[in-house]
Every structure is written in C-alpha cells, then in structure tokens.
Amino acid sequence: MIGLFDSGHGGLTIFRTLVARFPDLNFVYLGDHANAPYGNRGSQEIVELTRGGVEQLYARGCKLVMLACNTASAVACRTLQQDWLPSSDYPGRNVLGVVAPMVEAATQTPWAVTSPQYPQKFNSDTIAVFGTTRTISSGVYSEEIRKRCPKVTVLEHACPDLAGAIEVGAGENDLDAMVAKYVGQLLKRSGGIAPERAILGCTHFPLVEELFVTHLPPSTRILSQPDVVADSLEDYLARHSSYAAGTAYEGNPVLLTTGNPDHVSLSLKLFWPQGQGFERVD
Ligand code: DGL
C-alpha cells in the first residue's frame, strides 16, 4: 500500500492522478487538516508534523509514503530520508517527495546527477516557480535546478494566501484576482520576459491552473506536477517493485484526516468528485 500525505486537500490533485494511472495499486491518503496550512509555519514544526503523518501511514501498513505537498517535500523530505528513517523503527520503508520529480522534469536531468552535464541544456531559459511562502523561502527549486543547469534563471515567487483560499473554496473572482496579482508581480521581476516554463509548486495550484494559463504569457508552458509525479512514480516502482506489491481494494481508496471529517468532507468534491468522505485519525 502506498500512502500520500499533505497538509490538507491539496495532495488530492496528486492522489487522483495516481489512482487513475495505477488502478492495480492500493493508495491511502492522509490530510493533516487539523494543522493546515503548512505554508507559513516554521521548518522544525513542518518536519515534526510531516514525520507524524508519515508514521500514521506506516502504521496503516504503507511501505512507501509520498509527501504530496511541496512545502513538506521542500522542508522535511531530506531530513526524514537521511536523518530519521535510517535510525527509526521502520526498516524497509521509504518516503518520497514531489520536488525531486519536478526538478528532474525541469532540467531533463536525473536527480542523482547533481552537476551540470555538457553540453548545457536550456542555457538561457527562465523558469517561474510559484509556491507557498515556506517552499519559496527554502530556495529548494532554485538551488536544485541551478545545480544541474547553472545558466537557467529561476524566478521563485511566494503566493502566501492562495493555497488557503483554494482550501476553503474561495470564489472564482477572488482566486482570479490573486493569481493575476502573483503572476503580475513575477512578470515585473522578470522585466517582462516570458518564462519558458512554469512550475506550480504547490499541490493546491492545479485547481487554479487555468487561471495561471490565463495570466501567464501564451508562450509559457506549465509543467503539470501530478503528471510528472505519476511518471516518476512509475519509473521508481519499476526499479523498486516490492513497494507496488499487494492487490487493489474493492471500492474507493481510504481518505484519512486529522481534522473534522464532516467538515473536511464538504469540500472533497472540489478536489476528487469520486471521494466518499474522510475518516478521522488522531
Ligand atoms: N499543498 C501544500 C503544498 O504543496 C501547501 C498547502 C499549505 O500551505 O499547507 O505546498
């Protein structure tokens, strides 16, 4: 069984893509709605909350957990993989994030290759990255992209209130105004140069992708995080088939929340219309 973890509903944009792409696999989803949003929290707090979520999913029988949250991936993934897991009571388990696949896709370079390959790819490209305050302040996208493609310009831009507004089901006009504001700010920083590519580095943002398409220049291509992550998981499972073991459940995958299930189930349809509702975990 494969677990997906997010601070709230956003990771469902990854979850629904994986469920459709891998119908023979079991997935379970945990949203830490009681503590959402993560985007403006401190690093230590995000690491602790994420570790707690991963442990909940391991306790449910998941051998592999994906952090379907850019904030948790940017801030906690490496610490959990390198410092916590090797000395924890969870042998044979792993945790993956959603930043690495996006960096691989943006640079066309495997994650394991951490220096520039010659001839240099995308020499003069500009890549825009939109994310939560914490993801952007971590600098992870810029650092990891420029390690592999040092000549690329990475413009990272924080959208502090966008994930929260999507989470609470804000209206189209309000969301449009927010996206217009953030894209406008980024284009001002770029001196009017249209970025070749844009990463929506928050799992809530695919729900407003059309608004980003409207406000970004027509030549800017958005890298779809759910599709990129699904491709990357397919490749990972081909190399680590034990994580894919087990047959699919009958019926819908389980959705868990640390929040109030009645309350969080209300906006589920917006993210995953097939969802039946959340169950509570502590
Ligand atoms: N969905 C999360 C992400 O991808 C962020 C939402 C939050 O601020 O909790 O970054």
Side-chain angles (χ1 to χ4, degrees), residues 6-7 10 37-39 69-71 132 135 163 201-204:
D6 180 50
S7 57
Y38 280 13
C69 173
N70 288 263
T71 310
T132 64
T135 298
C202 172
T203 52
H204 284 72

Side-chain angles (χ1 to χ4, degrees), residues 5-14 29 32 35-41 46 67-74 98 130-135 141 159-160 162-164 167 200-206 225 271:
F5 175 77
D6 180 50
S7 57
H9 279 81
L12 289 168
T13 59
I14 305 283
Y29 183 89
D32 188 13
N35 296 298
Y38 280 13
N40 301 319
R41 288 183 182 274
I46 293 171
L67 307 179
C69 173
N70 288 263
T71 310
S73 300
V98 290
F130 297 93
T132 64
T133 302
R134 235 18 227 104
T135 298
Y141 273 110
C159 309
L162 188 54
E167 183 85 25
L200 305 187
C202 172
T203 52
H204 284 72
F205 295 176
Q225 188 164 50
F271 290 79

Side-chain angles (χ1 to χ4, degrees), residues 86-203:
S87 57
S88 72
D89 294 332
Y90 301 105
R93 319 277 176 114
N94 205 1
V95 58
L96 301 174
V98 290
V99 169
M102 298 310 289
V103 170
E104 289 185 321
T107 60
Q108 294 290 296
T109 307
W111 186 247
V113 176
T114 55
S115 55
Q117 302 299 291
Y118 294 95
Q120 277 270 295
K121 290 176 181 148
F122 316 123
N123 265 345
S124 57
D125 278 13
T126 296
I127 301 178
V129 182
F130 297 93
T132 64
T133 302
R134 235 18 227 104
T135 298
I136 299 306
S137 71
S138 77
V140 67
Y141 273 110
S142 180
E143 185 188 328
E144 297 294 345
I145 290 172
R146 288 176 45 78
K147 251 187 221 169
R148 295 159 178 89
C149 296
K151 293 186 180 165
V152 162
T153 301
V154 184
L155 285 177
E156 297 190 87
H157 204 77
C159 309
D161 45 6
L162 188 54
I166 296 168
E167 183 85 25
V168 298
E172 180 85 6
N173 289 347
D174 292 340
L175 295 172
D176 185 63
M178 279 182 197
V179 173
K181 178 180 77 179
Y182 294 131
V183 171
Q185 289 169 345
L186 179 122
L187 292 176
K188 200 164 167 198
R189 286 175 55 205
S190 78
I193 292 173
E196 274 74 13
R197 279 159 292 150
I199 293 174
L200 305 187
C202 172
T203 52

